[in-house]
Amino acid sequence: MKMIKWGITAALAVSMFGPIHTAKAADTSVQAETTTQNNDDLIFKMDYTEMTVGDKVPVQIFAKGPDGSSERVPLSQADMVIEKPYLLQKLPDGSIKALAVGETNVTVRSGANSKTLKLSISADKDIETGVLINGTMYLPVQTTFKSLGATIQTNTATKTFSIRVGDLPIQLQLGSDIAMVNGNKVKMSGKVQTVDGGAVFPATLLKTALGAVLDFGAHYESLNINFGKAELFAYTKNTLKIAKRESQGDLAKLIGKTYWFNQYDSDYKFQKATIVDILVNDDNEFSISFQLASGKIVNSYDMEYNQVTRDLANKEYFFTSDPTKIYKWSNAIWAKIKAGTISTGMTKQQVELSWGTPIDKSSLSGSGITVETWQYRNYNYVTFTNGVVSMIYTN
């Protein structure tokens, strides 16, 4: 039975983290109507206004022409004002591209008429390097502010970060719990500091300086950062471990236990294997990660939760002790069993260890003689006379 898939144990994918949070993605299929601001003189349309960084959304603008008819106005010629231009970019193809996380009004004017749409832009990826220090969530300076469309200048001599979010200047200094926001001192809930080679700052500054709404999940060490409908999600290196442990449930108790392969995988028959992890995939299926005595890692196929323990308890698949020490057979017999071969003179137990469980059995007895025949797949047969192999037929 060949049931092992190969590979070194990998870190759990962020997608596994879906039950806690998934990065918001634009889905125009769920937009019931095109977002429109219009009257007889000016029409301003976009397919959707809740965007994700990287989205390109077509814009349609119609204005009344000199003859009184409605004429389409190319985006390049439109009188458009983007309240926060660092969040959006007008493209030559007539669409608007989302650049960073936040909310902004977009206004189109034609003569005395004007129409405004509010656009919300969420992150296309999460911040994975948050840090929890003394109960306070810290975020990486560079990654966080770049996600918000800011420019950042670093002065290594003074250990300061000069940040500009649109027209708002923010200055942070390593070792200081005072931020300068638009020239004013703002005391933070902790000091800017270096963790794992990168500078981090208390996340609460985003609320104080930028008006963000913060929702901290202490259990998962995660943080939802919202600017209206725009969302940015951050978590620590422990977050996925916590979620993984919860998904593993009691299966986590299997980690560290040792088994010996039987028919579970023919390439590693009777080899010692220690469970080093229980992996969880996107579909909440599980696979067993084994480490062989050689150090090699092999992973089982994906299976349902309850099947993990069923497979491990199946004696045809696994032994809980070294079979070569349980059964005191000759080296020649063990060599045949490990090679998956049989010969006359072998016992039923030896054949079963070599070929596995037959798909059918039949027997006849008389005059003190019992003849039993086992059928295997592909029309292979083994006949035993009084429990010892007397004939082998292979297709």
Side-chain angles (χ1 to χ4, degrees), residues 211-215 224-232:
V213 175
L214 307 180
D215 183 11
N224 272 306
I225 306 163
N226 290 94
F227 300 90
K229 294 181 179 180
E231 182 180 39
L232 175 61

Side-chain angles (χ1 to χ4, degrees), residues 30-106:
V30 300
Q31 298 290 334
E33 297 178 358
T34 299
T35 303
T36 306
Q37 286 284 329
N38 64 76
N39 58 25
D40 291 340
D41 297 326
L42 180 61
I43 298 173
F44 178 19
K45 294 182 179 180
M46 292 183 65
D47 289 346
Y48 54 95
T49 55
E50 293 184 25
M51 306 169 67
T52 298
V53 171
D55 282 355
K56 298 177 183 179
V57 184
V59 175
Q60 297 181 54
I61 303 169
F62 296 88
K64 184 177 288 187
D67 61 355
S69 63
S70 182
E71 297 180 353
R72 183 161 187 167
V73 180
L75 181 59
S76 59
Q77 299 176 20
D79 182 3
M80 175 180 282
V81 176
I82 299 173
E83 179 187 23
K84 299 176 182 177
Y86 56 92
L87 298 182
L88 295 169
Q89 178 185 9
K90 294 194 293 183
L91 299 178
D93 63 2
S95 63
I96 289 181
K97 182 178 180 180
L99 300 177
V101 176
E103 278 197 332
T104 184
N105 289 327
V106 179

Side-chain angles (χ1 to χ4, degrees), residues 144-379:
T144 302
F145 284 103
K146 285 181 180 178
S147 296
L148 302 177
T151 59
I152 306 171
Q153 293 182 340
T154 303
N155 188 322
T156 54
T158 60
K159 299 180 181 180
T160 57
F161 301 91
S162 298
I163 302 160
R164 183 169 289 273
V165 184
D167 295 328
L168 179 68
I170 300 172
Q171 188 174 80
L172 303 176
Q173 185 172 33
L174 280 173
S176 174
D177 61 357
I178 300 297
M180 296 298 295
V181 180
N182 204 22
N184 300 311
K185 292 183 178 180
V186 174
K187 186 172 177 60
M188 297 181 289
S189 55
K191 296 179 180 181
V192 179
Q193 52 195 285
T194 301
V195 176
D196 294 332
V200 296
F201 70 99
T204 50
L205 178 64
L206 299 180
K207 178 179 179 179
T208 307
L210 302 175
V213 175
L214 307 180
D215 183 11
F216 175 61
H219 176 70
Y220 289 109
E221 299 186 10
S222 61
L223 182 68
N224 272 306
I225 306 163
N226 290 94
F227 300 90
K229 294 181 179 180
E231 182 180 39
L232 175 61
F233 190 75
Y235 52 87
T236 76
K237 62 183 179 181
N238 292 324
T239 302
L240 295 183
K241 295 178 183 178
I242 296 167
K244 180 180 176 181
R245 283 198 298 268
E246 290 189 350
S247 294
Q248 288 174 334
D250 286 342
L251 296 181
K253 297 177 182 178
L254 295 171
I255 297 173
K257 291 186 177 296
T258 298
Y259 294 83
W260 280 258
F261 285 118
N262 188 7
Q263 300 292 338
Y264 199 76
D265 186 272
S266 57
D267 288 342
Y268 298 98
K269 210 169 186 180
F270 310 126
Q271 287 199 35
K272 182 180 179 180
T274 301
I275 297 176
V276 292
D277 202 358
I278 301 294
L279 307 177
V280 189
N281 69 12
D282 296 347
D283 298 321
N284 208 34
E285 294 176 328
F286 303 83
S287 62
I288 312 166
S289 185
F290 295 98
Q291 184 175 38
L292 304 180
S294 65
K296 185 174 183 177
I297 300 292
V298 293
N299 298 332
S300 75
Y301 60 85
D302 294 328
M303 62 189 87
E304 297 297 325
Y305 184 93
N306 291 331
Q307 190 178 346
V308 175
T309 51
R310 286 200 303 268
D311 277 8
L312 290 171
N314 189 333
K315 294 181 179 179
E316 186 177 359
Y317 289 170
F318 295 99
F319 294 102
T320 55
S321 301
D322 186 348
T324 62
K325 294 181 180 179
I326 297 173
Y327 305 107
K328 305 299 183 180
W329 298 326
S330 68
N331 291 336
I333 290 294
W334 275 115
K336 290 178 181 180
I337 293 173
K338 290 179 180 180
T341 61
I342 62 175
S343 64
T344 56
M346 292 178 74
T347 65
K348 292 180 184 180
Q349 196 168 47
Q350 292 166 349
V351 170
E352 196 163 18
L353 282 179
S354 182
W355 276 17
T357 303
I359 60 175
D360 190 34
K361 295 181 180 181
S362 61
S363 64
L364 292 172
S365 297
S367 302
I369 298 174
T370 298
V371 177
E372 185 174 353
T373 300
W374 288 5
Q375 179 185 348
Y376 286 88
R377 293 179 178 85
N378 300 322
Y379 302 102

